[in-house]
Amino acid sequence: MRDPGRRRASPAREKLLASAARLFYADGVAATGIDRIISDAGVAKMSLYNNFSSKDDLVLAYIEARHQEWLELWAARTRAARTAAEEVLAVFDAYLDHASAAYDHGFRGCGLLNAAAELPVDAPGREAVRRHKEQVETILADALAKLTDPPTAARTAEHCAFLLEGAMSRAGLEGSPERLERARELAAGLLDAL
């Protein structure tokens, strides 16, 4: 993923990105027009084009910001972990933290997957989401490698990633993080069996 701070953050850029994040998550990428984002952000139309080359560029910035947001939640949870098992569960806790954020129109699941589902196969945003999901699985594998041999760590990381994604999908449909809590419990059981 490119560094979201690569461009100098202007107040208009931050307002546009915050509005886009709220609206994309609540209503979807395709249903959210540029004019609506500009109006919600309270900035001039030229501000959009001074900060983003296109709506696709704004969508990619939104995805990268969500990724960075999750990484920060995960890092905070990892700092509190005392064992390798707690490092694995910190990934689940970061997903729970993200799910527990106050959303204007309720919890709708993974904002990254929601956006990716609306994008064409070759869109840079879809590629950014794929890299995020791969990074999460790598984080899991690295923590698991402290508990078991590399092949078992890789298999268990994949299993945990599937637990996370399935739970996130169901949690989004149900509008509640309870499925993520259950996924965390299942992951703890996997760790106990190692």
Side-chain angles (χ1 to χ4, degrees):
M1 297 205 150
R2 73 179 182 191
D3 178 6
R6 186 179 89 194
R7 289 188 186 170
R8 193 168 169 205
S10 71
R13 179 181 171 79
E14 294 307 313
K15 287 178 184 178
L16 287 161
L17 197 49
S19 290
R22 274 192 313 280
L23 296 170
F24 288 161
Y25 187 81
D27 300 327
V29 171
T32 304
I34 291 295
D35 289 338
R36 187 162 169 227
I37 294 167
I38 291 167
S39 174
D40 186 78
V43 299
K45 192 168 198 162
M46 234 10 241
S47 294
L48 176 78
Y49 298 107
N50 287 337
N51 287 283
F52 302 98
S53 62
S54 63
K55 183 178 178 182
D56 289 342
D57 190 34
L58 178 59
V59 170
L60 182 58
Y62 159 68
I63 289 168
E64 290 172 340
R66 295 271 312 186
H67 170 70
Q68 190 60 42
E69 212 173 79
W70 184 85
L71 284 174
E72 289 167 9
L73 292 170
W74 167 73
R77 288 294 190 155
T78 300
R79 282 191 296 276
R82 294 179 308 268
T83 66
E86 287 178 359
E87 286 180 36
V88 172
L89 295 177
V91 173
F92 287 82
D93 291 333
Y95 269 69
L96 278 161
D97 291 344
H98 227 205
S100 298
Y103 294 107
D104 294 345
H105 302 287
F107 177 63
R108 295 187 58 239
C110 178
L112 295 177
L113 285 180
N114 293 346
E118 295 187 57
L119 299 174
V121 171
D122 59 348
R126 272 181 80 94
E127 177 63 22
V129 172
R130 183 187 62 75
R131 285 192 309 269
H132 166 77
K133 299 301 182 180
E134 288 174 351
Q135 185 174 5
V136 170
E137 191 169 329
T138 298
I139 288 167
L140 287 163
D142 290 347
L144 285 158
K146 298 173 184 176
L147 298 170
T148 188
D149 60 89
T152 302
R155 279 192 310 277
T156 307
E158 182 181 45
H159 192 149
C160 286
F162 289 161
L163 273 174
L164 274 171
E165 295 308 322
M168 183 59 89
S169 294
R170 288 286 299 273
L173 290 170
E174 295 166 9
S176 163
E178 289 175 19
R179 294 290 178 167
L180 287 166
E181 292 164 1
R182 180 68 180 129
R184 187 188 190 285
E185 292 170 13
L186 293 169
L190 289 172
L191 296 173
D192 289 342
L194 290 178

